[in-house]
Amino acid sequence: MSNSFEIINRIRLILDNVNEKDRISIHEPCFLNSNAKKYVNECIETGWVSSSGDWVLKFEKLISDFTGSKYVIAVSNGTDALRLSLYLAGVKPNDEVIMPPLTFVATANAVAHLGASPHFVDIEPQSLGISPNALQKRLDEVSIIKNGQVFNRFSGNRIAAVVPVHVFGLPSKIEEIKSICLNWNLPLIEDAAEALGSRVNKLDKKIHCGCFGEISTLSFNGNKIITTGGGGAILTNNELHAKRAKHLSSTAKISHPWRFYHDQIGWNDRLPNINAALGSSQIEKLEEKIIQKRILHSKYKNIFEDLKELEIISESKNTESNYWLVTLRLLCKNPEKIREKILQDAHESKIFIRPSWDLLNQLPMYKKSPSGELKEAINQSNRLINLPSSPQLIKNI
Ligand SMILES: *Cc1c(COP(=O)(O)O)cnc(C)c1O
């Protein structure tokens, strides 16, 4: 195995815009050469900084145009977007929601916030997303159908939805997953938090991640490909879901010039106008960021090409990744100790690279959640390292 300093030096070599002493993070926001200040200032000057204002509608339209999703509802963060989407899809207390264990904790938390439980199925190594085979196998193993609904025969609970995640921006095997969901009549909700700008090529069309599910979600947290400071969005082509999402995310208030009349228990999940203004300035830079990130990915790929014991993960055939986080995979046996050493040495030289998340099924609150065999997730989770991936780390093309 190459020495960890060789890996660190190679990382430094391709990052044009950093000096020896700079701290290098995994992903940082960038507002350079953008309308960020102009748009945010407009909110401050007019006083429209909070939950009403024109920027929210403008921002939703920009996301809709970019992704091709018919309806977009901006909300306060990606976790709330997921929770609301699951609620709209009919997830109720004691239900189970199928998801991969290799994802950010929010995917499971959103399910738990509704009193339901995650149900983990294994991933496949190429996209790091749900394995269609593992999904099919797990459903065959545990399901019984009662009144047209899928139940887990071991727990007795209803399986209410499937939530694939496009991990690090790599489109997962979404069409195969979708066809399994259709066969079982299970709602598909895509967690596309990391995949704004990732697409699947189908014949001569490019379909954006988040346009396969009945409902999908994005995040605009500070570390994502574009940010609103904090924020998220729900994508759907279903008008009823869109209307309910808007209504429930804005306290279920019936529009009226002076009355405060609410017809249900709603949430305050609105994205403030000032955040939508910032987000609108970010979308204007999104295509440029994706180009830069794809160049950054190919630079990493080239510089590590000759090392046999590791690889830079690339998009699967017929997909385009936004390469939100470029990811290195160690190919050796028993990679745990080697990875720990690389992380330690990198952190000492102020390159704050990260391992992929601890698997959710190993966290205390999800240890007892139902789960299929997770061989591949366990295998992969020990050998992944996310590399510095901010597009501004390399020279502008
Ligand atoms: C970031 C993220 C979320 C949650 O988004 P927040 O805006 O941070 O609440 C959910 N799922 C995945 C996969 C994420 O990466």
Side-chain angles (χ1 to χ4, degrees), residues 77-80 82 103-104 106-107 165 191 193-194 219-221 223-224 231 324 357:
N77 58 58
T79 313
D80 290 346
L82 270 169
T103 174
F104 181 54
T107 318
V165 182
D191 181 348
E194 304 175 358
S219 164
F220 311 114
N221 191 39
N223 61 345
K224 296 300 197 301
W324 172 55
W357 311 278

Side-chain angles (χ1 to χ4, degrees), residues 239-255:
E239 190 182 359
L240 185 65
H241 284 329
K243 282 190 173 150
R244 291 190 73 211
K246 197 73 179 174
H247 189 58
L248 286 169
S249 65
S250 45
T251 71
K253 185 178 181 294
I254 301 292
S255 177

